[in-house]
């Protein structure tokens, strides 16, 4: 008896899920993500408030938090923790979804998602043109900022708490890493 390949899920399958279902479509597989921890959400809020205030006060664009679908292909729909879209590109976004590739994606690692954030999702973000990718590691209290450099991301900074977080995407922005990880 011949073995058959498992059927990969598509964007159509993903869109049949109920609103708020805790899934991402990663390489054609529906991957369930449990709710983030309180510390994870605290870090998300700290970055959103700090970076969000800078973005807003300098009229740079918009930063938003998950859950929000970012469709990258018919086999990849991710829900990054935070995304940023530059002001000049905002008219291309939709009201329900981000219909364009974000300029920045920030992923905060959790035991359930670290593998995907550090491998497949990272590669897909780069392939589709996300200019800057941040990996925030709550356990190590580090923030790695990577910039697209051709076909790959190149680490431009790895900040450990205590330290100062700065990003090439946001000249003039800085934040104490201990404030990012403040609980």
């Amino acid at each position: 008896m011949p073995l058959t390949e498992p059927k990969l899920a598509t964007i159509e399958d993903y869109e049949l899920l109920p609103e708020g279902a805790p899934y991402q479509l990663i390489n054609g597989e529906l991957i369930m993500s449990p709710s983030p921890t309180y510390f994870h959400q605290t870090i998300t809020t700290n970055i959103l408030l700090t970076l969000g205030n800078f973005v807003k006060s300098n009229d740079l664009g918009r930063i938003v938090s998950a859950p929000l679908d970012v469709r990258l292909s018919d086999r990849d729909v991710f829900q990054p923790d935070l995304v940023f879209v530059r002001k000049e590109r905002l008219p291309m976004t939709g009201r329900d979804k981000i219909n364009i590739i974000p300029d920045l994606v920030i992923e905060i690692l959790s035991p359930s998602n670290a593998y995907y954030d550090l491998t497949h999702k990272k590669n897909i973000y780069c392939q589709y043109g996300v200019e800057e990718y941040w990996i925030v590691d709550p356990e190590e209290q580090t923030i790695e900022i990577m910039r697209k450099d051709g076909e790959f991301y190149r680490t431009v900074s790895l900040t450990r708490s205590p330290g100062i977080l700065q990003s090439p995407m946001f000249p003039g922005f800085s934040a104490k890493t201990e404030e990012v990880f403040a609980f």
Side-chain angles (χ1 to χ4, degrees):
M1 173 161 57
L3 296 175
T4 59
E5 291 289 319
K7 180 185 177 291
L8 294 177
T10 65
I11 186 74
E12 290 80 19
D13 299 317
Y14 182 81
E15 289 176 345
L16 290 174
L17 295 170
E19 184 176 334
Y23 286 90
Q24 297 183 77
L25 182 61
I26 301 176
N27 199 27
E29 290 184 62
L30 289 171
I31 306 294
M32 189 184 104
S33 300
S35 291
T37 66
Y38 182 54
F39 185 44
H40 180 284
Q41 291 303 86
T42 300
I43 294 167
T44 302
T45 302
N46 292 345
I47 295 172
L48 184 60
L49 290 172
T50 305
L51 184 58
N53 285 334
F54 181 84
V55 165
K56 187 173 183 174
S57 67
N58 289 283
D59 196 25
L60 299 176
R62 187 165 298 133
I63 186 166
V64 294
S65 64
L68 176 70
D69 291 343
V70 175
R71 180 180 175 173
L72 298 155
S73 74
D74 287 342
R75 292 178 36 187
D76 293 291
V77 181
F78 303 158
Q79 292 188 0
D81 293 301
L82 294 161
V83 298
F84 167 74
V85 176
R86 293 178 199 272
K87 176 183 176 179
E88 59 272 13
R89 299 179 68 230
L90 285 175
M92 295 181 275
T93 62
R95 291 183 68 98
D96 298 331
K97 300 175 188 172
I98 292 191
N99 296 322
I100 61 171
I101 303 302
D103 295 287
L104 165 68
V105 167
I106 301 173
E107 293 281 13
I108 299 163
L109 299 181
S110 295
S112 65
N113 71 13
Y115 170 78
Y116 294 106
D117 291 343
L118 294 168
T119 59
H120 185 75
K121 289 172 71 175
K122 175 182 166 184
N123 294 334
I124 293 296
Y125 286 138
C126 190
Q127 177 185 340
Y128 282 93
V130 174
E131 184 180 338
E132 195 165 283
Y133 184 47
W134 296 13
I135 291 285
V136 180
D137 186 335
E139 293 300 315
E140 297 296 322
Q141 294 200 358
T142 60
I143 303 168
E144 181 177 11
I145 297 179
M146 293 168 271
R147 299 277 296 181
K148 186 166 172 44
D149 187 7
E151 295 180 27
F152 302 98
Y153 281 123
R154 179 176 47 83
T155 298
V156 294
S157 77
L158 178 60
T159 307
R160 181 175 305 280
S161 191
I164 300 295
L165 170 64
Q166 296 178 306
S167 162
M169 185 165 286
F170 306 104
F173 169 76
S174 67
K176 293 180 179 178
T177 53
E178 55 267 31
E179 291 175 3
V180 169
F181 296 105
F183 187 66

